[in-house]
Amino acid sequence: ERARDILETVKDRDETRLGVEAMELLDAYGIETPAGDIVDDPADALEVAERIDGDVVMKIVSPDILHKSDIGGVKVGVGNEDVYDAYEDLITRAKNYQPDANILGVQVQEMVNLDDGVETIVGMNRDPQFGPLMMFGLGGIFVEILEDTTFRVAPVSETEAEDMTKEIDAAPMLRGARGNDPVDIGGITETIQRLSQLVTDFPAILELDINPLVTLPDGVKAVDVRLTVD
Ligand code: ADP
Ligand code: MG
């Protein structure tokens, strides 16, 4: 199956750390990701951007740069006319950061409307004692500051996944606080379960984070992923 092929390719490349180049893995498990593609030249980047309606997000794709924003490696709201410049700038930034970085290209991605949504994180860490520990919490920039997270051992049942969405301090935000619409809780619990299935099927995945999983009133989207394989 597809997920196996993707992980095989990774092994061949001799990388243990992976970023958005592994998003197809999520796709293979039915976790929704924004439209887009990874390209290795500006003309192709423009072609992908034109295919996507409206502004796009562009990100550096390199197993050596897993915290992309830290080096200015994520550009949000790029119009078609700025795609070439953005492409060159991302590559320049990556090379300045690490001259010998293995740069796989640039991801051109559909922009998700964060105004209507909440950035959450869904992750897994393989604990030597408990096994695969699934994590759910508030994502984006808040994840480190607030440490608003909850854990369960995989595989998680539907009820357990639902409980996770209720346990975090920010739970009211998901259910529509301050006049906002509630987000798609069912989409979150489904994502937790699908990810739980993925890491159960592939013990070689040591850790994996979807950060953020953008949760919206009408669905959820995994816009970023990083993982470690053994
Ligand atoms: P990294 O975590 O490596 O810095 P991300 O891909 O998570 O890179 O992007 C950083 C931030 O940029 C996200 O937390 C989110 O706020 C924003 N972002 C990334 N991709 C999108 C997207 N497709 N639509 C809207 N915002 C995005
Ligand atoms: Mg991220």
Side-chain angles (χ1 to χ4, degrees):
E1 37 147 302
R2 252 173 82 214
R4 199 169 304 279
D5 291 345
I6 296 163
L7 283 169
E8 288 295 328
T9 316
V10 167
K11 273 228 164 84
D12 295 345
R13 275 210 336 253
D14 233 23
E15 297 284 357
T16 56
R17 309 267 295 152
L18 295 174
V20 286
E21 68 273 22
M23 276 186 99
E24 283 178 50
L25 208 54
L26 304 181
D27 206 42
Y29 271 74
I31 297 172
E32 201 177 330
T33 57
D37 215 340
I38 295 170
V39 295
D40 59 9
D41 82 81
D44 290 344
L46 182 57
E47 209 180 293
V48 177
E50 282 172 346
R51 214 163 58 213
I52 297 167
D53 207 25
D55 290 354
V56 294
V57 178
M58 291 174 66
K59 309 180 188 185
I60 193 72
V61 183
S62 164
D64 297 314
I65 306 168
L66 294 169
H67 296 269
K68 301 174 288 297
S69 308
D70 290 357
I71 68 142
V74 177
K75 291 181 183 288
V76 180
V78 182
N80 285 356
E81 66 285 1
D82 294 321
V83 166
Y84 268 76
D85 286 347
Y87 187 98
E88 298 304 343
D89 189 56
L90 286 171
I91 302 291
T92 306
R93 281 171 193 267
K95 287 185 175 154
N96 286 344
Y97 168 72
Q98 190 180 317
D100 65 347
N102 175 16
I103 299 169
L104 300 177
V106 167
Q107 184 182 46
V108 181
Q109 198 177 59
E110 167 199 350
M111 204 158 122
V112 176
N113 184 3
L114 297 177
D115 291 342
D116 300 340
V118 180
E119 291 191 56
T120 65
I121 176 168
V122 181
M124 185 279 300
N125 236 302
R126 229 168 262 281
D127 183 273
Q129 201 179 341
F130 298 106
L133 267 189
M134 299 298 299
M135 184 258 265
F136 174 71
L138 204 58
I141 51 169
F142 300 118
V143 65
E144 279 102 21
I145 304 169
L146 299 179
E147 289 186 46
D148 185 11
T149 49
T150 180
F151 299 87
R152 286 289 186 291
V153 178
V156 296
S157 69
E158 188 177 352
T159 311
E160 284 177 305
E162 273 167 16
D163 288 344
M164 292 175 84
T165 71
K166 292 175 189 160
E167 279 167 11
I168 62 170
D169 296 335
M173 269 175 81
L174 302 176
R175 284 166 174 82
R178 287 195 237 110
N180 291 324
D181 287 335
V183 305
D184 177 15
I185 304 281
I188 301 175
T189 59
E190 204 164 277
T191 304
I192 295 171
Q193 287 180 274
R194 287 174 190 266
L195 198 66
S196 158
Q197 190 60 52
L198 167 66
V199 301
T200 305
D201 292 347
F202 294 98
I205 300 176
L206 299 181
E207 50 183 351
L208 189 156
D209 279 322
I210 299 174
N211 183 20
L213 175 78
V214 178
T215 64
L216 300 156
D218 58 350
V220 301
K221 273 190 182 167
V223 310
D224 186 29
V225 67
R226 61 181 144 253
L227 61 145
T228 311
V229 294
D230 78 1

